[in-house]
Amino acid sequence: MKTMKKAAAAALSCVMAGMMFTGCGGTDDTADSGNDSADASADKVYNVGICQLVEHTALDAATEGFKTALTDLLGDSVVFDEQNAQGESTNCATICSGFVANNCDLILANATGALQAAAAATNTIPIIGTSITDYATALDIDEWTGKTGTNITGTSDLAPIDQQEDMLLELFPDVKQVGILYCSSEPNSKYQATVFEEALTADGVAYKEYSAADTNEIQAITTTAISECDVLYIPTDNTMASNTEVIKNIAVPAGIPVIAGEEGICTGCGVATLSISYYDIGYKAGEMAYEILVNGQNAGDMDIEFAPNVVKEYNAEICETLGITPPEGYTAISE
């Protein structure tokens, strides 16, 4: 893995006591010295800011899992300020700066753009990331150890990319050239593309990259890709996930199958995916947030967590349209 510079200094994880808040802020309330952390948490309302990069199925599920976990653990003692950046990094920066100004107890950053904005906004308020493929790439961390050493921890949505490449060859053993589609402004997508290309190279399969700077370029690059390749691969990529209808309307009529990095993209335009549960990684992120808020864990000392299971899934509708019959071991994506 190619990583870059070491990220900013180690963080201070600070939980403020109090019950009365304006926005995400609070005022102190003195607890009896004999109370344990569970008793103290009962006298505290935690204010959590949620910055989600864009609205689509995978990220929505991760946010829902996060909120469910914290609500399961804290009941009415947690309040969420949930905001969506509509795919704009400048909106992420504005949202996260607002969370800092309102003195939120913790920030959930859902997707890489949101995480980068949160990291730029504060090095003291604990940040939980989710739907992040590679934290070292996202945060410019050199000498990666599995934890950030800063005020940041969280969960990754990285499925085993070598197994995704195995899936492509299992379904299409005679593939001549693979087209790899991703958004060039998403560094984690480039990381996945590079790893996938290494696996293709090891198996002697030709490939070509097709990167779009933004949504406006997707139609053109997909059109070019289907004219030059016989299978497409799309990694976990928020821009592509928000434009699957465009890709489907080009690839399917041309008879070109898409292997997807996650279920949401596969549902929109793919034939198969080796996918994780975004709800599950969101739920795990919520459990990690509880450890920070209530039990005083330092985010920088917590390992990044990964999805415990991956599942081979297929899109029954598109497979039928293209005449593809998945082998045993694949599960149809439920609508």
Side-chain angles (χ1 to χ4, degrees):
M1 177 188 307
K2 183 178 179 181
T3 56
M4 316 201 184
K5 302 175 186 173
K6 194 159 295 238
L12 173 63
S13 177
C14 176
V15 178
M16 301 174 297
M19 294 184 66
M20 300 301 295
F21 291 85
T22 301
C24 285
T27 56
D28 289 341
D29 182 39
T30 304
D32 292 337
S33 59
N35 286 355
D36 59 20
S37 62
D39 293 334
S41 68
D43 296 329
K44 163 78 179 175
V45 174
Y46 297 97
N47 284 266
V48 175
I50 298 175
C51 179
Q52 181 174 317
L53 176 63
V54 67
E55 183 177 349
H56 68 69
T57 304
L59 300 190
D60 293 349
T63 293
E64 186 62 28
F66 176 81
K67 291 166 61 180
T68 300
L70 272 183
T71 302
D72 286 347
L73 292 165
L74 291 172
D76 294 335
S77 295
V78 61
V79 175
F80 301 106
D81 182 358
E82 182 178 349
Q83 299 189 44
N84 192 295
Q86 303 301 321
E88 297 291 338
S89 58
T90 52
N91 291 344
C92 287
T94 300
I95 291 167
C96 291
S97 294
F99 292 157
V100 174
N102 288 330
N103 210 16
C104 281
D105 295 299
L106 182 140
I107 296 171
L108 174 74
N110 191 348
T112 300
L115 180 69
Q116 291 170 330
T122 179
N123 63 359
T124 56
I125 295 174
I127 298 167
I128 299 283
T130 193
S131 312
I132 311 298
T133 303
D134 180 61
Y135 281 78
T137 300
L139 298 172
D140 245 6
I141 300 176
D142 196 11
E143 300 177 7
W144 179 246
T145 65
K147 56 191 72 174
T148 69
T150 68
N151 59 317
I152 299 169
T153 189
T155 57
S156 171
D157 63 358
L158 182 63
I161 294 177
D162 58 339
Q163 294 180 38
Q164 292 179 354
E165 190 261 358
D166 289 341
M167 170 182 283
L168 187 151
L169 295 183
E170 178 181 41
L171 293 171
F172 309 105
D174 298 325
V175 61
K176 297 296 187 292
Q177 178 156 286
V178 177
I180 301 174
L181 274 64
Y182 66 94
C183 180
S184 58
S185 64
E186 298 190 33
N188 280 327
S189 299
K190 174 59 178 174
Y191 166 76
Q192 293 172 82
T194 300
V195 175
F196 199 85
E197 289 162 8
E198 291 170 354
L200 289 171
T201 298
D203 286 326
V205 179
Y207 64 84
K208 187 173 180 179
E209 286 189 7
Y210 301 87
S211 61
D214 55 34
T215 295
N216 296 326
E217 296 183 0
I218 291 176
Q219 183 171 352
I221 67 157
T222 303
T223 300
T224 301
I226 61 133
S227 70
E228 299 176 346
C229 303
D230 42 352
V231 179
L232 304 182
Y233 169 71
I234 302 176
T236 302
D237 183 291
N238 296 305
T239 303
M240 295 297 168
S242 298
N243 291 274
T244 55
E245 189 70 18
V246 174
I247 298 167
K248 176 183 176 181
N249 289 341
I250 297 169
V252 172
I256 302 299
V258 173
I259 298 295
E262 54 93 5
E263 183 181 278
I265 295 175
C266 190
T267 299
C269 65
V271 297
T273 183
L274 185 72
S275 191
I276 66 167
S277 166
Y278 277 79
Y279 180 88
D280 287 351
I281 63 169
Y283 197 95
K284 182 61 180 179
E287 293 178 329
M288 297 171 78
Y290 177 84
E291 290 300 317
I292 293 170
L293 292 170
V294 177
N295 294 329
Q297 279 269 21
N298 186 340
D301 295 334
M302 300 172 72
D303 287 329
I304 301 302
E305 299 282 352
F306 293 81
N309 301 303
V310 292
V311 180
K312 287 183 175 181
E313 296 182 315
Y314 71 96
N315 183 323
E317 178 187 351
I318 295 180
C319 281
E320 182 178 358
T321 300
L322 298 181
I324 297 168
T325 302
E328 290 187 9
Y330 286 71
T331 302
I333 297 173
S334 58
E335 297 297 331

